Amino acid sequence: MARPTTAQRGREVRRRLLDTACELIAEHGWTAVSTRMLADRAGVTPGLVHYHFSSVQALLSEAATGAMRDYLAQTPDVFEQAATAQQGLDTLLGELDRHTGLDPLSLLFTEAYLASTRDGALRAEISVLLAEFRDRVSGWLAGHGVAAPDATAAVLAAAVDGLLLHRALNPDLRGCEIAPVLGRILAPAGGAHTDGTEGTGDRP
């Protein structure tokens, strides 16, 4: 079996550092992660951390946005496999019930959002990811005739973030209870809401 090349070893170390950064952000918080912590957990020398990344902040940003990109890229698939807008929403919120708000992925999102309030470059990267997510959801909503699909997608994205944050404070907050409420914004223009009430097309 051929030995890994220098380039392959470098890619492996880089990947290990990114994975380790995600773990440490969730465990200790963004600002607590240090070069020494990263090196010790990843099993590399501190010098390799700065060989592969210009700074700890750069490493944390790339790790967090990479994990967020992977998760957000999968989420709209939940919608796209559903026959109706309400079914898509029900399935999405059901998926969110797997997260407690204190699980590693939820904590990673929360820490990244907080860090982005003090880091303009990170904020811009996350904004792009969220815009791509909203665009996919908006396109799917438009295909189902939902009124104001862009605004509706933005509200759903914000609601999902809020639910994950509040799940840590209120574990009893379940998707099945929220779905009928959020479902009221999915009514087609001039049509009936998903709960059977009439909509105006402009206001859910």
Side-chain angles (χ1 to χ4, degrees), residues 4-86:
T5 65
T6 300
Q8 288 172 330
R9 289 196 297 272
R11 286 193 293 270
E12 171 56 28
V13 169
R14 185 180 178 85
R15 171 46 54 192
R16 201 184 318 160
L17 286 169
L18 290 169
D19 291 343
T20 298
C22 288
E23 295 172 3
L24 292 175
I25 290 170
E27 291 174 14
H28 300 283
W30 192 283
T31 58
V33 180
S34 66
T35 299
R36 173 60 66 183
M37 291 172 64
L38 287 160
D40 288 348
R41 176 70 66 89
V44 302
T45 63
L48 278 177
V49 176
H50 293 286
Y51 175 80
H52 288 284
F53 300 92
S54 60
S55 65
V56 170
Q57 179 69 16
L59 167 53
L60 298 182
S61 295
E62 184 172 335
T65 54
M68 295 172 77
R69 180 179 296 105
D70 290 343
Y71 182 77
L72 292 174
Q74 298 172 11
T75 303
D77 293 340
V78 172
F79 284 98
E80 291 163 3
Q81 294 169 6
T84 67
Q86 184 64 50

Side-chain angles (χ1 to χ4, degrees), residues 118-196:
R118 300 178 178 88
D119 183 329
L122 176 60
R123 185 164 59 251
E125 290 185 58
I126 294 177
S127 294
V128 169
L129 294 179
L130 293 179
E132 292 172 350
F133 171 78
R134 289 194 301 267
D135 285 347
R136 285 189 63 187
V137 174
S138 175
W140 184 83
L141 292 172
H144 284 274
V146 173
D150 289 346
T152 302
V155 170
L156 288 178
V160 166
D161 285 340
L163 286 172
L164 285 176
L165 180 63
H166 280 257
R167 284 294 301 280
L169 304 171
N170 180 9
D172 295 329
L173 189 63
R174 310 299 295 178
C176 60
E177 299 170 348
I178 302 301
V181 178
L182 284 179
R184 294 170 191 163
I185 69 174
L186 300 180
H193 290 305
T194 54
D195 61 3

